[in-house]
Amino acid sequence: MPTTEVQLPVDGWAWGKSDGALVLKEVSDHPYPNAPSPSFEANAALLRRFAKLARTEAGFLHFANRYGNLGINALEAHPDGGFLIPHETFDQWCDRSSFAAMVIDLWDRAGSKNQRALEGFFVARTEKDVETIYWKNPAQPRGTERSFYPALDFKQVEARRLFEAKNLPDLAREAVISEVETAMNGGGHPRLEFTPQGQLVCRIDGLWCQMWHQFALEVNGQRGWIDCAHCGDAFYMSHDSYPDRQRDRKTRKYCSEKCKNDHNNAKKARDREKVR
């Protein structure tokens, strides 16, 4: 999987006002260290975690200070040379989190193979004598509908076939795949480079794009996920090593060794209370 490194501010992020909008700003005047830091924990299912965030200033700020900003805004030329990334607004974070939640919900419903769970997500419309399949979140107003995307003819032909056959699980999977492809290719500036150890790696400059690359492995069937039995954070079950030396075969219920120990210590404390 491609890796991402971000420049986490030394003193963290904070929300501040800029041109009437609430934006993510670096706390200090000289915010960045010399070297970027890895943004990903080994098996953290970050898109799922991002989608479940409380859409509040505090909820987003905690995520940003742990993993970095999303990197969703295009680079702008700096007057003194070089480039800068414009600050991201609170509304942008809300929109991205809501959209990630909608796609993940559709994906989970598709995996359940429950036709009823998918009713109301799809609609066929005839526009300029061409029938087009749309998918949407049934709980949202009509104005938030998204086209079956990208709207290429061969994908629409397959979408119409699945819709007419009432094969909603496969139709949902096709919709999710289209959205994942768009999100992965919508920025992030992927590049190939060698590490100091001589290994060839793919890096992506942008947390938003990288989270979708990670989710793509789940959609491709390469990674299964569960919620941590202690903290509730989603993590992937694979053979990757955790930063704290643990592997999932040893910690299937927990996202990290710390959560495993905290859970066991809490259980011991409860058991001691019962004895008293």
Side-chain angles (χ1 to χ4, degrees):
M1 185 181 73
T3 59
T4 297
E5 291 183 340
V6 297
Q7 288 277 16
L8 288 171
V10 173
D11 297 316
W13 298 97
W15 291 108
K17 287 287 186 177
S18 178
D19 295 327
L22 193 62
V23 300
L24 202 62
K25 290 187 172 183
E26 304 90 343
V27 172
S28 61
D29 293 332
H30 303 286
Y32 297 116
N34 292 328
S37 59
S39 63
F40 266 48
E41 297 168 7
N43 284 357
L46 282 197
L47 192 69
R48 287 185 173 276
R49 295 185 187 187
F50 178 68
K52 288 175 65 177
L53 287 176
R55 294 181 185 109
T56 62
E57 294 177 35
F60 287 148
L61 194 61
H62 178 75
F63 189 88
N65 281 325
R66 187 173 180 181
Y67 300 113
N69 64 319
L70 298 178
I72 55 179
N73 290 336
L75 298 175
E76 291 183 355
H78 194 278
D80 299 327
F83 295 89
L84 56 84
I85 300 177
H87 290 126
E88 296 164 358
T89 69
F90 178 77
D91 288 343
Q92 285 178 315
W93 275 65
C94 286
D95 290 343
R96 298 289 173 129
S97 181
S98 297
F99 176 63
M102 190 163 64
V103 175
I104 289 171
D105 179 46
L106 187 61
W107 174 245
D108 289 343
R109 289 170 184 260
S112 73
K113 298 186 182 298
N114 183 348
Q115 293 279 122
R116 288 189 176 182
L118 290 166
E119 289 177 357
F121 272 83
F122 298 95
V123 61
R125 287 181 174 175
T126 300
E127 299 173 350
K128 296 181 180 179
D129 297 325
V130 177
E131 187 179 54
T132 303
I133 304 299
Y134 288 80
W135 77 271
K136 62 179 181 177
N137 182 342
Q140 298 299 317
R142 286 186 176 274
T144 61
E145 291 178 0
R146 290 182 59 88
S147 170
F148 193 88
Y149 193 78
L152 299 175
D153 288 345
F154 72 92
K155 294 207 172 193
Q156 281 293 330
V157 168
E158 178 65 6
R160 288 194 291 270
R161 184 187 69 79
L162 293 170
F163 185 78
E164 291 168 3
K166 297 183 179 180
N167 186 347
L168 298 185
D170 283 350
L171 179 55
R173 279 188 284 273
E174 290 296 324
V176 169
I177 288 170
S178 293
E179 294 294 351
V180 172
E181 288 175 347
T182 301
M184 285 194 302
N185 297 319
H189 312 291
R191 66 185 189 278
L192 290 172
E193 62 182 39
F194 282 98
T195 67
Q197 295 75 31
Q199 295 178 319
L200 185 64
V201 296
C202 178
R203 298 195 188 282
I204 297 174
D205 297 326
L207 186 59
W208 173 253
C209 186
Q210 172 69 330
M211 288 193 296
W212 285 94
H213 274 82
Q214 187 191 48
F215 183 63
L217 296 178
E218 178 185 335
V219 172
N220 195 40
Q222 296 182 41
R223 311 193 88 177
W225 69 278
I226 61 171
D227 289 327
C228 178
H230 182 70
C231 71
D233 282 345
F235 71 99
Y236 285 117
M237 306 291 291
S238 76
H239 297 297
D240 296 344
S241 295
Y242 288 106
D244 50 19
R245 304 184 308 282
Q246 289 297 318
R247 292 180 178 272
D248 70 7
R249 58 188 174 84
K250 295 181 180 179
T251 55
R252 286 189 179 276
K253 295 181 180 180
Y254 310 100
C255 65
S256 68
E257 180 70 0
K258 182 180 183 302
C259 272
K260 180 182 178 182
N261 290 336
D262 288 350
H263 184 85
N264 290 337
N265 290 336
K267 183 177 183 301
K268 290 177 183 177
R270 290 193 299 270
D271 291 342
R272 286 195 295 269
E273 287 295 323
K274 291 179 182 178
V275 173
R276 293 179 182 178

